[in-house]
């Protein structure tokens, strides 16, 4: 996401989320997460990743560290197992209603993002630069030329 920083905070967050969604496309096309093996399943994953990625990106920007986002992603993956428990109990719930990647999860995370945006937490590149500068050096990225 840092290489997208020159585009501005919002474009960087949206593009990063869309790329994250596309990264998961092979799993979606195998039927994971939404039970759909089509373009709609991939689109649902992209929407999920843009919404969740905005929150995880904010955690990265505000903390100057990748670990809060890593733990957020791990928590998301952990809660996804809850649906499996419900299904194992003999119910057949809608994945779009009960999954953290469904509309309930989208709504809750979108509300948090709106509150953060209204509080001015996504403004300007300066804050990002300061927080990234405070982050400990981890060496050169293997993905940069």
């Amino acid at each position: 996401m840092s290489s997208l920083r020159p585009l501005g905070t919002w474009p960087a967050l949206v593009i990063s989320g869309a790329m994250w969604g596309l990264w998961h496309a092979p799993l979606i096309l195998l039927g994971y997460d939404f039970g759909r093996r089509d373009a709609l399943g991939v689109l649902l994953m992209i929407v999920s990743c843009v919404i969740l990625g905005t929150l995880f990106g904010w955690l990265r920007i505000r903390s100057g560290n990748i670990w809060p986002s890593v733990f957020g992603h791990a928590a998301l993956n952990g809660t996804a197992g809850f649906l499996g428990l419900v299904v194992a109990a003999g119910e057949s719930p809608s994945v779009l209603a009960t999954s953290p990647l469904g509309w309930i999860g989208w709504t809750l995370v979108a509300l948090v993002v709106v509150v953060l945006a209204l509080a001015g937490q996504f403004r300007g590149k300066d804050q990002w630069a300061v927080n990234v500068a405070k982050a400990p050096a981890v060496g050169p990225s293997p993905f940069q030329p």
Side-chain angles (χ1 to χ4, degrees):
M1 185 168 66
S2 296
S3 62
L4 297 173
R5 187 177 66 202
L7 299 174
T9 301
W10 283 106
L13 291 170
V14 170
I15 292 169
S16 177
M19 290 170 50
W20 185 27
L22 288 171
W23 176 263
H24 287 83
L27 291 175
I28 301 304
L29 294 172
L30 288 172
Y32 290 95
D33 290 321
F34 301 104
R36 299 193 61 96
R37 299 174 184 210
D38 57 10
L40 180 58
V42 173
L43 179 63
L44 291 170
M45 185 55 137
I46 291 171
V47 169
S48 296
C49 289
V50 168
I51 293 170
L52 289 161
T54 300
L55 181 59
F56 293 160
W58 176 81
L59 288 170
R60 166 67 175 96
I61 292 166
R62 288 295 286 172
S63 70
N65 198 310
I66 192 93
W67 288 107
S69 298
V70 169
F71 291 132
H73 190 196
L76 172 69
N77 288 352
T79 60
F82 175 73
L83 182 61
L85 293 174
V86 172
V87 171
E91 298 293 323
S92 33
S94 165
V95 176
L96 283 174
T98 57
S99 167
L101 297 177
W103 67 270
I104 293 174
W106 294 351
T107 303
L108 294 174
V109 174
L111 286 172
V112 171
V113 169
V114 167
V115 168
L116 291 171
L118 292 174
Q121 294 297 306
F122 292 98
R123 285 196 200 128
K125 298 176 194 173
D126 296 335
Q127 181 177 351
W128 186 327
V130 168
N131 286 332
V132 170
K134 289 190 309 188
V138 293
S141 169
F143 301 109
Q144 292 179 339

